[in-house]
Amino acid sequence: MSHMGYGCLMAVDRDHVLRSAAALLTRKSTATMDEVAKAAGISRATLHRQFAGRDALVRALEALGIAECEAALEAARPDDGPAGDAVRRLVARIEPHAPLLAFLYSENQLFEGEELNEGWTRIDERIAALFRRGQSSGEFRIDLTPAWLTEALYGLLASGAWAVAEGRVAPRDFTHMVTELLLGGVRRPDAPAHPDTPARRTDDRERRADA
Amino acid sequence: MSHMGYGCLMAVDRDHVLRSAAALLTRKSTATMDEVAKAAGISRATLHRQFAGRDALVRALEALGIAECEAALEAARPDDGPAGDAVRRLVARIEPHAPLLAFLYSENQLFEGEELNEGWTRIDERIAALFRRGQSSGEFRIDLTPAWLTEALYGLLASGAWAVAEGRVAPRDFTHMVTELLLGGVRRPDAPAHPDTPARRTDDRERRADA
DNA sequence: CTTGAATGAGACATGAATGTCTCACATGGG
DNA sequence: CCCATGTGAGACATTCATGTCTCATTCAAG
Protein backbone atom coordinates (compact mmCIF):
# COMPACT_ATOMS: atom_id res chain seq x y z
CA MET A 1 0.00 0.00 0.00
CA SER A 2 1.24 3.47 -0.75
CA HIS A 3 1.18 4.84 2.72
CA MET A 4 3.09 7.91 1.53
CA GLY A 5 3.29 7.45 -2.23
CA TYR A 6 0.09 9.36 -2.70
CA GLY A 7 0.64 12.03 -0.14
CA CYS A 8 4.16 12.89 -1.16
CA LEU A 9 5.02 11.86 -4.69
CA MET A 10 1.78 13.04 -6.18
CA ALA A 11 2.09 16.42 -4.58
CA VAL A 12 5.61 16.92 -5.89
CA ASP A 13 4.62 15.85 -9.37
CA ARG A 14 1.57 18.01 -9.29
CA ASP A 15 3.60 21.04 -8.39
CA HIS A 16 6.12 20.33 -11.11
CA VAL A 17 3.35 19.95 -13.69
CA LEU A 18 1.82 23.16 -12.48
CA ARG A 19 5.08 25.07 -12.85
CA SER A 20 5.69 23.66 -16.31
CA ALA A 21 2.18 24.51 -17.39
CA ALA A 22 2.58 28.03 -16.07
CA ALA A 23 5.84 28.48 -17.95
CA LEU A 24 4.31 27.21 -21.17
CA LEU A 25 0.93 28.91 -21.02
CA THR A 26 2.70 32.14 -20.19
CA ARG A 27 4.30 32.07 -23.61
CA LYS A 28 1.47 30.41 -25.51
CA SER A 29 -1.86 30.91 -23.83
CA THR A 30 -3.61 28.64 -26.33
CA ALA A 31 -1.34 25.66 -25.81
CA THR A 32 -3.01 22.29 -26.13
CA MET A 33 -3.34 19.87 -23.26
CA ASP A 34 -1.04 17.69 -25.30
CA GLU A 35 1.59 20.42 -25.39
CA VAL A 36 1.18 21.07 -21.70
CA ALA A 37 1.71 17.40 -20.97
CA LYS A 38 4.73 17.22 -23.21
CA ALA A 39 6.20 20.33 -21.60
CA ALA A 40 5.81 18.70 -18.21
CA GLY A 41 7.38 15.50 -19.45
CA ILE A 42 4.30 13.38 -18.82
CA SER A 43 1.63 11.88 -20.99
CA ARG A 44 -1.70 13.44 -21.66
CA ALA A 45 -3.40 10.65 -19.72
CA THR A 46 -1.44 11.38 -16.57
CA LEU A 47 -2.01 15.07 -16.97
CA HIS A 48 -5.71 14.42 -17.23
CA ARG A 49 -5.57 12.21 -14.14
CA GLN A 50 -4.15 15.06 -12.09
CA PHE A 51 -6.27 17.85 -13.55
CA ALA A 52 -9.67 16.87 -14.81
CA GLY A 53 -9.69 18.99 -17.91
CA ARG A 54 -8.25 22.23 -19.05
CA ASP A 55 -10.57 24.23 -16.88
CA ALA A 56 -9.33 22.51 -13.73
CA LEU A 57 -5.76 23.16 -14.81
CA VAL A 58 -6.41 26.86 -15.28
CA ARG A 59 -8.18 26.99 -11.94
CA ALA A 60 -5.19 25.34 -10.30
CA LEU A 61 -2.91 27.86 -11.96
CA GLU A 62 -5.18 30.58 -10.67
CA ALA A 63 -4.91 29.19 -7.18
CA LEU A 64 -1.15 29.06 -7.56
CA GLY A 65 -1.04 32.65 -8.72
CA ILE A 66 -3.23 33.72 -5.84
CA ALA A 67 -1.08 31.87 -3.35
CA GLU A 68 2.09 33.40 -4.71
CA CYS A 69 0.56 36.86 -4.76
CA GLU A 70 -0.49 36.48 -1.17
CA ALA A 71 2.94 35.20 -0.21
CA ALA A 72 4.52 38.18 -1.96
CA LEU A 73 2.07 40.48 -0.24
CA GLU A 74 2.91 38.90 3.07
CA ALA A 75 6.65 39.14 2.54
CA ALA A 76 6.42 42.75 1.37
CA ARG A 77 4.98 43.90 4.71
CA PRO A 78 2.62 46.40 3.09
CA ASP A 79 1.87 48.05 6.41
CA ASP A 80 5.45 48.82 7.36
CA GLY A 81 7.29 52.01 6.66
CA PRO A 82 6.65 54.42 3.81
CA ALA A 83 4.03 53.23 1.35
CA GLY A 84 6.38 53.89 -1.55
CA ASP A 85 8.94 51.50 -0.15
CA ALA A 86 6.22 48.94 0.46
CA VAL A 87 5.22 49.20 -3.19
CA ARG A 88 8.83 48.64 -4.19
CA ARG A 89 9.06 45.57 -2.00
CA LEU A 90 5.79 44.27 -3.36
CA VAL A 91 6.79 44.63 -7.00
CA ALA A 92 10.15 43.04 -6.30
CA ARG A 93 8.46 40.07 -4.70
CA ILE A 94 5.86 39.68 -7.41
CA GLU A 95 8.36 40.05 -10.23
CA PRO A 96 9.21 36.33 -10.52
CA HIS A 97 5.53 35.54 -10.94
CA ALA A 98 4.68 38.38 -13.28
CA PRO A 99 4.41 36.14 -16.37
CA LEU A 100 1.93 33.89 -14.60
CA LEU A 101 0.05 36.95 -13.43
CA ALA A 102 -0.08 38.28 -16.97
CA PHE A 103 -1.49 35.00 -18.20
CA LEU A 104 -4.15 34.90 -15.50
CA TYR A 105 -4.91 38.58 -16.03
CA SER A 106 -5.74 38.00 -19.68
CA GLU A 107 -7.48 34.73 -18.88
CA ASN A 108 -9.78 36.37 -16.38
CA GLN A 109 -11.35 38.34 -19.17
CA LEU A 110 -12.74 35.07 -20.46
CA PHE A 111 -14.47 34.39 -17.16
CA GLU A 112 -16.82 37.20 -18.11
CA GLY A 113 -20.00 35.81 -16.67
CA GLU A 114 -18.65 33.41 -14.10
CA GLU A 115 -17.87 34.42 -10.58
CA LEU A 116 -14.39 35.70 -9.91
CA ASN A 117 -12.28 33.80 -7.44
CA GLU A 118 -12.62 35.52 -4.12
CA GLY A 119 -8.87 35.29 -3.63
CA TRP A 120 -8.41 38.04 -6.18
CA THR A 121 -10.79 40.36 -4.43
CA ARG A 122 -8.90 39.83 -1.20
CA ILE A 123 -5.61 40.63 -2.92
CA ASP A 124 -7.15 43.60 -4.67
CA GLU A 125 -8.36 44.89 -1.36
CA ARG A 126 -4.98 44.52 0.29
CA ILE A 127 -3.18 46.30 -2.53
CA ALA A 128 -5.80 49.00 -2.64
CA ALA A 129 -5.38 49.39 1.10
CA LEU A 130 -1.68 49.95 0.59
CA PHE A 131 -2.37 52.75 -1.87
CA ARG A 132 -5.01 54.14 0.44
CA ARG A 133 -2.51 54.15 3.26
CA GLY A 134 -0.08 56.09 1.12
CA GLN A 135 -2.78 58.61 0.35
CA SER A 136 -3.74 59.00 3.99
CA SER A 137 -0.16 59.60 5.00
CA GLY A 138 0.17 62.29 2.36
CA GLU A 139 2.77 60.31 0.47
CA PHE A 140 0.56 59.55 -2.53
CA ARG A 141 -1.65 61.85 -4.50
CA ILE A 142 -5.34 61.48 -3.89
CA ASP A 143 -6.77 62.19 -7.32
CA LEU A 144 -6.09 58.62 -8.46
CA THR A 145 -8.40 56.11 -6.87
CA PRO A 146 -6.91 53.08 -5.11
CA ALA A 147 -8.96 50.80 -7.34
CA TRP A 148 -7.42 52.33 -10.45
CA LEU A 149 -3.94 52.21 -9.00
CA THR A 150 -4.41 48.54 -8.24
CA GLU A 151 -5.59 47.87 -11.76
CA ALA A 152 -2.75 49.94 -13.18
CA LEU A 153 -0.24 47.95 -11.13
CA TYR A 154 -1.55 44.75 -12.69
CA GLY A 155 -1.35 46.34 -16.12
CA LEU A 156 2.21 47.48 -15.62
CA LEU A 157 3.24 44.08 -14.31
CA ALA A 158 1.68 42.43 -17.36
CA SER A 159 3.22 44.96 -19.72
CA GLY A 160 6.57 44.53 -18.07
CA ALA A 161 6.45 40.76 -18.29
CA TRP A 162 5.45 41.04 -21.93
CA ALA A 163 8.19 43.55 -22.70
CA VAL A 164 10.77 41.30 -21.05
CA ALA A 165 9.50 38.26 -22.94
CA GLU A 166 9.71 40.22 -26.18
CA GLY A 167 13.23 41.30 -25.40
CA ARG A 168 12.34 44.98 -25.29
CA VAL A 169 13.34 45.30 -21.66
CA ALA A 170 16.23 43.63 -19.86
CA PRO A 171 14.98 41.23 -17.18
CA ARG A 172 17.08 42.85 -14.49
CA ASP A 173 15.47 46.22 -15.19
CA PHE A 174 11.94 44.92 -14.70
CA THR A 175 11.43 45.96 -11.09
CA HIS A 176 13.02 49.33 -11.58
CA MET A 177 10.95 50.12 -14.67
CA VAL A 178 7.69 49.13 -13.08
CA THR A 179 8.21 50.72 -9.68
CA GLU A 180 9.73 53.94 -10.91
CA LEU A 181 7.04 54.51 -13.51
CA LEU A 182 4.29 53.65 -11.05
CA LEU A 183 5.67 55.75 -8.24
CA GLY A 184 7.30 58.66 -9.98
CA GLY A 185 5.81 58.73 -13.45
CA VAL A 186 7.66 59.72 -16.55
CA ARG A 187 7.80 63.41 -15.82
CA ARG A 188 10.93 64.68 -14.25
CA PRO A 189 10.39 65.92 -10.71
CA ASP A 190 12.25 69.15 -11.39
CA ALA A 191 11.35 69.37 -15.04
CA PRO A 192 11.55 72.76 -16.71
CA ALA A 193 8.20 74.42 -17.13
CA HIS A 194 8.89 75.27 -20.76
CA PRO A 195 11.06 72.75 -22.54
CA ASP A 196 11.21 75.14 -25.48
CA THR A 197 13.43 77.41 -23.46
CA PRO A 198 17.15 76.63 -23.48
CA ALA A 199 17.36 73.04 -22.45
CA ARG A 200 18.86 72.10 -19.16
CA ARG A 201 22.05 70.22 -19.05
CA THR A 202 21.49 66.75 -20.34
CA ASP A 203 22.25 64.97 -17.19
CA ASP A 204 23.81 61.74 -18.40
CA ARG A 205 24.87 60.38 -15.09
CA GLU A 206 22.20 57.75 -15.29
CA ARG A 207 22.40 54.86 -17.64
CA ARG A 208 21.03 55.51 -21.03
CA ALA A 209 19.79 52.33 -22.63
CA ASP A 210 17.74 53.53 -25.57
CA ALA A 211 19.11 53.24 -29.03
CA MET B 1 -24.21 46.69 -63.38
CA SER B 2 -23.49 47.77 -59.90
CA HIS B 3 -21.59 50.88 -60.78
CA MET B 4 -21.79 52.07 -57.20
CA GLY B 5 -23.42 49.23 -55.36
CA TYR B 6 -20.09 47.64 -54.72
CA GLY B 7 -18.03 50.73 -54.17
CA CYS B 8 -20.39 52.42 -51.77
CA LEU B 9 -22.87 50.12 -50.11
CA MET B 10 -20.37 47.39 -49.51
CA ALA B 11 -17.92 49.78 -47.96
CA VAL B 12 -20.50 51.19 -45.60
CA ASP B 13 -21.67 47.75 -44.61
CA ARG B 14 -18.15 46.55 -44.17
CA ASP B 15 -17.34 49.41 -41.85
CA HIS B 16 -20.50 48.83 -39.85
CA VAL B 17 -19.70 45.15 -39.51
CA LEU B 18 -16.20 46.02 -38.43
CA ARG B 19 -17.42 48.40 -35.76
CA SER B 20 -19.92 45.89 -34.45
CA ALA B 21 -17.30 43.17 -34.39
CA ALA B 22 -14.93 45.45 -32.52
CA ALA B 23 -17.59 46.31 -29.97
CA LEU B 24 -18.44 42.66 -29.43
CA LEU B 25 -14.97 41.14 -29.44
CA THR B 26 -13.91 43.85 -27.02
CA ARG B 27 -16.26 42.42 -24.45
CA LYS B 28 -16.01 38.77 -25.44
CA SER B 29 -12.80 38.00 -27.24
CA THR B 30 -13.86 34.41 -27.91
CA ALA B 31 -17.12 35.31 -29.62
CA THR B 32 -18.21 32.99 -32.41
CA MET B 33 -18.45 34.07 -36.01
CA ASP B 34 -22.15 33.44 -35.57
CA GLU B 35 -22.30 35.85 -32.67
CA VAL B 36 -20.29 38.41 -34.58
CA ALA B 37 -22.70 38.14 -37.48
CA LYS B 38 -25.71 38.41 -35.22
CA ALA B 39 -24.21 41.42 -33.47
CA ALA B 40 -23.77 43.09 -36.85
CA GLY B 41 -27.31 42.24 -37.87
CA ILE B 42 -26.25 40.08 -40.79
CA SER B 43 -26.10 36.39 -41.46
CA ARG B 44 -23.03 34.29 -41.04
CA ALA B 45 -22.92 33.74 -44.80
CA THR B 46 -22.72 37.44 -45.53
CA LEU B 47 -20.13 37.93 -42.82
CA HIS B 48 -18.07 35.19 -44.36
CA ARG B 49 -18.44 36.81 -47.79
CA GLN B 50 -16.93 40.04 -46.52
CA PHE B 51 -14.25 38.50 -44.32
CA ALA B 52 -12.93 35.15 -45.44
CA GLY B 53 -12.66 33.60 -42.02
CA ARG B 54 -12.06 34.69 -38.52
CA ASP B 55 -8.43 35.38 -39.20
CA ALA B 56 -9.27 37.87 -41.92
CA LEU B 57 -11.72 39.57 -39.60
CA VAL B 58 -9.11 39.95 -36.89
CA ARG B 59 -6.64 41.25 -39.45
CA ALA B 60 -9.18 43.81 -40.61
CA LEU B 61 -9.76 44.85 -37.02
CA GLU B 62 -6.03 45.15 -36.61
CA ALA B 63 -5.87 47.39 -39.65
CA LEU B 64 -8.71 49.46 -38.21
CA GLY B 65 -6.91 49.80 -34.91
CA ILE B 66 -3.71 50.79 -36.65
CA ALA B 67 -5.53 53.38 -38.76
CA GLU B 68 -7.22 54.87 -35.73
CA CYS B 69 -3.99 54.92 -33.78
CA GLU B 70 -2.26 56.70 -36.58
CA ALA B 71 -5.11 59.15 -36.91
CA ALA B 72 -4.94 59.82 -33.17
CA LEU B 73 -1.20 60.20 -33.42
CA GLU B 74 -1.62 62.62 -36.27
CA ALA B 75 -4.26 64.67 -34.48
CA ALA B 76 -2.22 64.77 -31.28
CA ARG B 77 0.66 66.60 -33.00
CA PRO B 78 3.32 64.71 -31.02
CA ASP B 79 6.03 67.12 -32.15
CA ASP B 80 4.35 70.29 -30.94
CA GLY B 81 4.85 71.92 -27.58
CA PRO B 82 5.80 70.21 -24.34
CA ALA B 83 6.04 66.45 -24.62
CA GLY B 84 3.83 66.04 -21.57
CA ASP B 85 1.02 67.94 -23.25
CA ALA B 86 1.51 65.89 -26.39
CA VAL B 87 1.11 62.72 -24.33
CA ARG B 88 -2.09 64.11 -22.86
CA ARG B 89 -3.46 64.88 -26.32
CA LEU B 90 -2.46 61.46 -27.54
CA VAL B 91 -4.18 59.61 -24.72
CA ALA B 92 -7.27 61.75 -25.12
CA ARG B 93 -7.42 60.91 -28.82
CA ILE B 94 -6.81 57.22 -28.31
CA GLU B 95 -9.29 56.92 -25.47
CA PRO B 96 -12.32 56.12 -27.66
CA HIS B 97 -10.42 53.26 -29.24
CA ALA B 98 -8.85 51.93 -26.08
CA PRO B 99 -11.13 48.87 -25.89
CA LEU B 100 -10.23 47.89 -29.43
CA LEU B 101 -6.60 48.44 -28.61
CA ALA B 102 -6.89 46.24 -25.54
CA PHE B 103 -8.43 43.50 -27.62
CA LEU B 104 -5.70 43.69 -30.24
CA TYR B 105 -3.05 43.95 -27.56
CA SER B 106 -4.12 40.65 -26.05
CA GLU B 107 -4.69 39.13 -29.46
CA ASN B 108 -1.18 39.96 -30.60
CA GLN B 109 0.17 37.54 -28.04
CA LEU B 110 -1.39 34.75 -30.08
CA PHE B 111 0.53 35.80 -33.17
CA GLU B 112 3.57 34.44 -31.41
CA GLY B 113 5.47 33.08 -34.34
CA GLU B 114 3.90 35.05 -37.15
CA GLU B 115 5.22 38.36 -38.28
CA LEU B 116 3.85 41.44 -36.60
CA ASN B 117 2.05 43.95 -38.74
CA GLU B 118 4.53 46.64 -39.65
CA GLY B 119 1.96 49.30 -38.83
CA TRP B 120 2.49 48.62 -35.15
CA THR B 121 6.21 49.06 -35.37
CA ARG B 122 5.67 52.40 -37.08
CA ILE B 123 3.30 53.50 -34.33
CA ASP B 124 5.64 52.16 -31.68
CA GLU B 125 8.45 54.15 -33.18
CA ARG B 126 6.43 57.38 -33.29
CA ILE B 127 5.33 57.03 -29.69
CA ALA B 128 8.84 56.11 -28.59
CA ALA B 129 10.07 59.18 -30.46
CA LEU B 130 7.67 61.30 -28.45
CA PHE B 131 9.05 59.97 -25.20
CA ARG B 132 12.57 60.38 -26.51
CA ARG B 133 11.81 63.97 -27.37
CA GLY B 134 10.60 64.57 -23.84
CA GLN B 135 13.80 63.08 -22.52
CA SER B 136 15.97 65.18 -24.78
CA SER B 137 14.21 68.35 -23.73
CA GLY B 138 14.77 67.50 -20.09
CA GLU B 139 11.06 67.18 -19.46
CA PHE B 140 11.08 63.40 -18.92
CA ARG B 141 13.41 61.30 -16.85
CA ILE B 142 15.93 59.29 -18.76
CA ASP B 143 16.21 56.17 -16.66
CA LEU B 144 13.09 54.70 -18.26
CA THR B 145 13.66 53.62 -21.84
CA PRO B 146 11.32 54.91 -24.54
CA ALA B 147 10.54 51.32 -25.54
CA TRP B 148 9.39 50.52 -22.03
CA LEU B 149 7.37 53.73 -21.79
CA THR B 150 5.64 52.87 -25.04
CA GLU B 151 4.82 49.41 -23.78
CA ALA B 152 3.67 50.83 -20.46
CA LEU B 153 1.38 53.25 -22.26
CA TYR B 154 -0.28 50.34 -24.03
CA GLY B 155 -0.59 48.50 -20.76
CA LEU B 156 -2.17 51.45 -19.01
CA LEU B 157 -4.59 52.01 -21.88
CA ALA B 158 -5.61 48.35 -21.75
CA SER B 159 -5.90 48.40 -17.97
CA GLY B 160 -7.91 51.58 -18.12
CA ALA B 161 -10.29 50.21 -20.72
CA TRP B 162 -10.69 47.07 -18.64
CA ALA B 163 -11.27 49.01 -15.43
CA VAL B 164 -13.90 51.14 -17.16
CA ALA B 165 -15.59 48.07 -18.61
CA GLU B 166 -15.64 46.49 -15.16
CA GLY B 167 -17.13 49.60 -13.63
CA ARG B 168 -14.14 50.22 -11.40
CA VAL B 169 -13.37 53.53 -13.05
CA ALA B 170 -15.79 56.15 -14.34
CA PRO B 171 -15.51 56.53 -18.11
CA ARG B 172 -15.03 60.27 -17.87
CA ASP B 173 -12.03 59.78 -15.61
CA PHE B 174 -10.23 57.49 -18.05
CA THR B 175 -7.98 60.06 -19.68
CA HIS B 176 -7.12 61.72 -16.41
CA MET B 177 -6.26 58.46 -14.68
CA VAL B 178 -4.06 57.23 -17.50
CA THR B 179 -2.24 60.46 -18.25
CA GLU B 180 -1.69 61.51 -14.66
CA LEU B 181 -0.36 58.15 -13.61
CA LEU B 182 1.85 57.90 -16.65
CA LEU B 183 3.20 61.41 -16.40
CA GLY B 184 3.29 62.08 -12.69
CA GLY B 185 3.17 58.69 -11.03
CA VAL B 186 1.46 57.94 -7.80
CA ARG B 187 3.93 59.66 -5.52
CA ARG B 188 3.01 63.10 -4.48
CA PRO B 189 5.31 65.64 -6.08
CA ASP B 190 5.65 67.62 -2.90
CA ALA B 191 5.06 67.37 0.82
CA PRO B 192 1.43 67.45 2.07
CA ALA B 193 0.23 70.19 -0.24
CA HIS B 194 -2.19 70.33 -3.14
CA PRO B 195 -1.53 67.25 -5.24
CA ASP B 196 -2.14 69.18 -8.45
CA THR B 197 0.39 71.88 -7.74
CA PRO B 198 3.37 71.57 -10.04
CA ALA B 199 6.49 70.02 -8.67
CA ARG B 200 9.12 72.54 -7.75
CA ARG B 201 11.85 71.19 -5.66
CA THR B 202 11.41 67.53 -4.95
CA ASP B 203 14.99 66.59 -5.54
CA ASP B 204 15.04 63.25 -3.83
CA ARG B 205 17.34 61.17 -5.90
CA GLU B 206 15.08 58.13 -5.57
CA ARG B 207 17.93 55.74 -5.54
CA ARG B 208 16.99 54.03 -2.35
CA ALA B 209 17.00 50.31 -2.79
CA ASP B 210 14.79 47.71 -1.26
CA ALA B 211 15.30 47.11 2.43
C1' DC C 1 8.83 -13.65 -7.23
C1' DT C 2 4.27 -11.73 -7.01
C1' DT C 3 1.22 -8.14 -6.87
C1' DG C 4 -0.74 -3.70 -7.11
C1' DA C 5 -0.43 0.94 -8.60
C1' DA C 6 0.91 4.45 -11.60
C1' DT C 7 2.18 5.47 -16.04
C1' DG C 8 2.51 5.92 -21.30
C1' DA C 9 0.65 5.08 -25.62
C1' DG C 10 -3.01 5.13 -28.33
C1' DA C 11 -7.77 4.30 -30.00
C1' DC C 12 -12.33 6.22 -29.90
C1' DA C 13 -16.28 9.27 -29.38
C1' DT C 14 -17.89 13.97 -28.63
C1' DG C 15 -18.65 18.73 -29.23
C1' DA C 16 -17.73 23.09 -31.08
C1' DA C 17 -16.31 26.24 -34.44
C1' DT C 18 -15.25 26.78 -38.93
C1' DG C 19 -15.50 26.79 -43.96
C1' DT C 20 -18.24 25.59 -48.04
C1' DC C 21 -22.11 24.74 -50.44
C1' DT C 22 -26.94 25.12 -52.26
C1' DC C 23 -31.31 27.24 -52.66
C1' DA C 24 -35.02 30.49 -52.10
C1' DC C 25 -36.18 35.32 -51.63
C1' DA C 26 -36.04 40.14 -52.17
C1' DT C 27 -34.82 44.22 -54.48
C1' DG C 28 -33.29 47.33 -57.89
C1' DG C 29 -32.06 48.38 -62.62
C1' DG C 30 -32.68 47.72 -67.52
C1' DC D 1 -41.69 42.57 -66.90
C1' DC D 2 -37.24 40.17 -66.50
C1' DC D 3 -32.95 39.46 -64.83
C1' DA D 4 -28.92 40.05 -61.96
C1' DT D 5 -27.07 40.72 -57.59
C1' DG D 6 -26.88 40.45 -52.74
C1' DT D 7 -28.72 38.25 -48.96
C1' DG D 8 -30.57 34.86 -45.34
C1' DA D 9 -31.26 30.32 -43.96
C1' DG D 10 -29.65 26.11 -43.47
C1' DA D 11 -27.44 21.69 -44.56
C1' DC D 12 -23.02 19.55 -44.80
C1' DA D 13 -18.19 18.13 -44.25
C1' DT D 14 -13.94 19.14 -41.88
C1' DT D 15 -10.91 20.13 -38.48
C1' DC D 16 -9.34 20.24 -33.84
C1' DA D 17 -9.22 20.07 -28.92
C1' DT D 18 -11.13 17.59 -25.54
C1' DG D 19 -12.68 13.80 -22.59
C1' DT D 20 -12.86 8.79 -21.87
C1' DC D 21 -11.49 4.38 -22.45
C1' DT D 22 -8.42 0.14 -22.76
C1' DC D 23 -4.13 -2.22 -22.49
C1' DA D 24 0.73 -3.18 -21.99
C1' DT D 25 4.65 -1.85 -19.29
C1' DT D 26 7.35 -0.43 -15.49
C1' DC D 27 8.47 -0.13 -10.77
C1' DA D 28 8.44 -0.64 -5.98
C1' DA D 29 6.69 -2.89 -1.93
C1' DG D 30 5.52 -7.06 0.32
Side-chain angles (χ1 to χ4, degrees):
Chain A
M1 298 232 271
S2 59
H3 62 292
M4 63 166 284
Y6 192 91
C8 173
L9 288 177
M10 280 284 282
V12 169
D13 270 346
R14 184 188 151 97
D15 189 75
H16 167 246
V17 171
L18 222 42
R19 302 285 173 178
S20 308
L24 173 61
L25 290 173
T26 282
R27 301 192 306 267
K28 187 183 180 186
S29 61
T30 62
T32 304
M33 292 290 278
D34 223 336
E35 301 174 271
V36 172
K38 189 172 299 181
I42 62 176
S43 72
R44 195 163 67 98
T46 302
L47 173 62
H48 204 272
R49 282 176 192 120
Q50 291 181 340
F51 302 98
R54 186 189 186 77
D55 195 63
L57 175 62
V58 174
R59 298 294 179 159
L61 283 173
E62 189 182 28
L64 176 64
I66 289 175
E68 273 164 347
C69 267
E70 283 181 332
L73 211 37
E74 203 66 34
R77 306 188 314 277
D79 296 330
D80 286 2
D85 293 347
V87 169
R88 287 181 218 271
R89 292 194 300 265
L90 179 58
V91 172
R93 298 285 186 167
I94 289 185
E95 170 183 358
H97 315 113
L100 175 59
L101 263 293
F103 163 72
L104 295 173
Y105 187 72
S106 68
E107 199 79 1
N108 271 349
Q109 307 189 7
L110 305 190
F111 293 172
E112 13 154 353
E114 315 168 26
E115 78 285 354
L116 197 56
N117 191 315
E118 62 165 343
W120 291 124
T121 65
R122 292 217 321 266
I123 293 172
D124 284 3
E125 182 45 44
R126 292 184 67 176
I127 296 179
L130 168 58
F131 286 119
R132 209 174 294 116
R133 181 170 78 85
Q135 290 179 330
S136 297
S137 73
E139 197 178 353
F140 292 166
R141 50 200 291 188
I142 60 173
D143 60 331
L144 302 175
T145 67
W148 159 241
L149 294 175
T150 304
E151 209 73 27
L153 172 58
Y154 289 145
L156 288 179
L157 287 171
S159 291
W162 180 247
V164 168
E166 286 289 292
R168 283 199 263 272
V169 168
R172 65 168 285 111
D173 292 339
F174 178 93
T175 300
H176 181 259
M177 294 284 186
V178 172
T179 56
E180 285 310 310
L181 181 57
L182 178 64
L183 290 176
V186 69
R187 210 187 304 131
R188 211 156 165 170
D190 54 352
H194 301 291
D196 289 337
T197 61
R200 298 169 39 93
R201 59 192 169 125
T202 43
D203 168 6
D204 271 347
R205 281 181 295 109
E206 318 218 12
R207 69 192 146 191
R208 186 167 182 82
D210 74 326
Chain B
M1 290 200 284
S2 61
H3 64 292
M4 63 167 284
Y6 191 90
C8 174
L9 288 177
M10 281 285 282
V12 169
D13 269 347
R14 183 186 151 97
D15 189 75
H16 168 245
V17 171
L18 223 43
R19 302 285 174 177
S20 307
L24 174 60
L25 290 174
T26 282
R27 300 191 308 267
K28 188 185 180 185
S29 60
T30 61
T32 304
M33 292 292 278
D34 223 337
E35 300 175 273
V36 172
K38 189 173 296 180
I42 63 177
S43 71
R44 194 164 68 99
T46 302
L47 173 63
H48 203 273
R49 282 178 192 118
Q50 292 181 340
F51 303 98
R54 186 190 187 75
D55 195 63
L57 176 62
V58 173
R59 299 292 179 162
L61 283 173
E62 188 181 29
L64 176 65
I66 289 174
E68 273 166 345
C69 266
E70 283 181 333
L73 212 36
E74 203 66 35
R77 308 187 314 280
D79 296 329
D80 286 2
D85 293 348
V87 169
R88 286 182 219 272
R89 292 194 300 267
L90 178 59
V91 172
R93 298 285 187 169
I94 289 185
E95 170 182 358
H97 315 113
L100 175 59
L101 263 292
F103 164 71
L104 295 173
Y105 188 71
S106 67
E107 199 78 2
N108 271 350
Q109 308 191 6
L110 305 192
F111 293 172
E112 12 152 356
E114 313 167 26
E115 78 285 354
L116 197 56
N117 191 315
E118 62 164 344
W120 292 124
T121 67
R122 290 218 323 268
I123 293 173
D124 283 2
E125 182 44 43
R126 292 183 67 178
I127 296 179
L130 168 57
F131 286 119
R132 209 174 295 119
R133 180 171 77 84
Q135 291 180 329
S136 295
S137 72
E139 196 177 354
F140 292 165
R141 52 199 291 187
I142 61 173
D143 60 331
L144 302 177
T145 67
W148 158 241
L149 294 174
T150 304
E151 209 73 27
L153 172 58
Y154 290 145
L156 288 179
L157 286 170
S159 291
W162 180 246
V164 168
E166 285 290 292
R168 284 199 260 273
V169 169
R172 65 168 286 112
D173 292 339
F174 178 94
T175 300
H176 182 259
M177 294 284 186
V178 172
T179 57
E180 286 308 309
L181 181 57
L182 178 64
L183 290 177
V186 68
R187 209 189 301 128
R188 214 155 169 173
D190 208 349
H194 298 293
D196 286 338
T197 52
R200 221 47 154 90
R201 48 162 299 282
T202 25
D203 58 328
D204 63 327
R205 283 284 174 252
E206 55 216 77
R207 254 305 185 267
R208 65 185 80 133
D210 180 2

